[in-house]
Amino acid sequence: DAKTTQPTSMDCAEGRAANLPCNHSTISGNEYVYWYRQIHSQGPQYIIHGLKNNETNEMASLIITEDRKSSTLILPHATLRDTAVYYCIVRVAKNRDDKIIFGKGTRLHILP
Amino acid sequence: EPEVTQTPSHQVTQMGQEVILRCVPISNHLYFYWYRQILGQKVEFLVSFYNNEISEKSEIFDDQFSVERPDGSNFTLKIRSTKLEDSAMYFCASSEIRGPNTEAFFGQGTRLTVV
């Protein structure tokens, strides 16, 4: 699976848009970009995923560059409850292997 | 909204004892997973399960671990003889279908403390 690179930590002011970058320069054509987050020690929470088109749901937007080598997760109006570790994951199902591999993620601090 | 449910939320056990961690996946989901997270470390894949058999397991999932779907709703992880290093959060996850275009949903975890 392609490796992802994320900043270790980021700060964002409450009410502002939080833009979390992710590099996945070795991504291949059948690999999806997923974002999960983990609030404190809770279970990972699915946020959004995409292949090559930009995606938006009620939680966030995912912007994938045209060459697919990087992406940005956007939380449009961050709240204190968005403080969490955010994981960018590339995922491919090959043979019987479709597990999600978590890295270290980005620790996002929302500042009041 | 459907969710993955795990019980108990916290389990304390003595070293060498057997523990069973329980999970109720989302009802129409067919693929199930166990992950663990040692305090301060990454979330690690343990095992995936489909159609009553293991699809894949990691090197962590050795002979002391086993999984079972004893009925139509529960999915369990058994640790046969617990060690101190098994202390961790254990997360169950499920997905509706297999493949990279389907999200997996995680439970809130069971904190296992081995003393």
Side-chain angles (χ1 to χ4, degrees):
Chain A
D1 291 352
K3 181 177 167 58
T4 63
T5 304
Q6 299 178 252
T8 303
S9 67
M10 292 181 63
D11 292 338
C12 178
E14 189 178 17
R16 306 297 291 268
N19 296 278
L20 292 93
C22 179
N23 285 323
H24 30 79
S25 58
T26 60
I27 195 169
S28 55
N30 61 346
E31 289 185 317
Y32 284 73
V33 179
Y34 275 74
W35 284 85
Y36 279 81
R37 72 181 182 183
Q38 189 174 26
I39 297 172
H40 195 46
S41 291
Q42 297 178 23
Q45 179 187 22
Y46 167 78
I47 301 173
I48 200 166
H49 76 281
L51 182 62
K52 53 184 178 181
N53 296 323
N54 297 337
E55 301 288 343
T56 294
N57 63 20
E58 64 279 3
M59 286 183 70
S61 295
L62 173 60
I63 308 298
I64 303 174
T65 58
E66 195 169 336
D67 63 7
R68 301 186 70 239
K69 295 188 176 188
S70 66
S71 60
T72 301
L73 177 75
I74 301 172
L75 308 178
H77 303 287
T79 71
L80 297 177
R81 287 192 297 263
D82 293 320
T83 292
V85 178
Y86 286 77
Y87 301 100
C88 171
I89 299 160
V90 293
R91 191 174 174 209
V92 61
K94 46 188 177 184
N95 299 324
R96 302 175 74 175
D97 171 8
D98 64 347
K99 60 185 178 291
I100 298 167
I101 300 296
F102 290 88
K104 295 183 178 179
T106 295
R107 188 170 295 274
L108 176 66
H109 300 275
I110 305 301
L111 307 175
Chain B
E1 184 176 320
E3 60 181 14
V4 176
T5 305
Q6 290 187 243
T7 56
S9 57
H10 192 183
Q11 172 123 23
V12 181
T13 189
Q14 288 204 323
M15 189 168 53
Q17 295 296 303
E18 174 185 285
V19 294
I20 297 176
L21 309 182
R22 302 182 191 278
C23 169
V24 178
I26 295 172
S27 64
N28 62 334
H29 285 191
L30 300 177
Y31 292 86
F32 315 116
Y33 310 83
W34 283 101
Y35 287 75
R36 81 172 186 190
Q37 186 175 33
I38 295 170
L39 185 64
Q41 298 187 23
K42 295 190 292 186
V43 178
E44 301 174 289
F45 169 77
L46 291 178
V47 66
S48 58
F49 189 87
Y50 168 69
N51 200 25
N52 283 321
E53 63 179 20
I54 290 173
S55 295
E56 188 186 3
K57 58 184 181 180
S58 71
E59 60 273 13
I60 303 169
F61 194 88
D62 61 22
D63 290 344
Q64 72 160 343
F65 291 92
S66 63
V67 288
E68 189 180 28
R69 187 152 164 81
D71 54 44
S73 60
N74 289 285
F75 179 51
T76 62
L77 174 69
K78 182 190 292 185
I79 309 175
R80 190 160 46 85
S81 177
T82 50
K83 307 185 185 77
L84 295 176
E85 53 265 37
D86 293 326
S87 295
M89 286 289 293
Y90 287 82
F91 298 109
C92 173
S94 70
S95 62
E96 186 176 358
I97 59 176
R98 182 172 171 268
N101 192 22
T102 181
E103 55 270 37
F105 295 95
F106 287 75
Q108 288 305 298
T110 292
R111 181 176 299 281
L112 177 65
T113 303
V114 182
V115 297

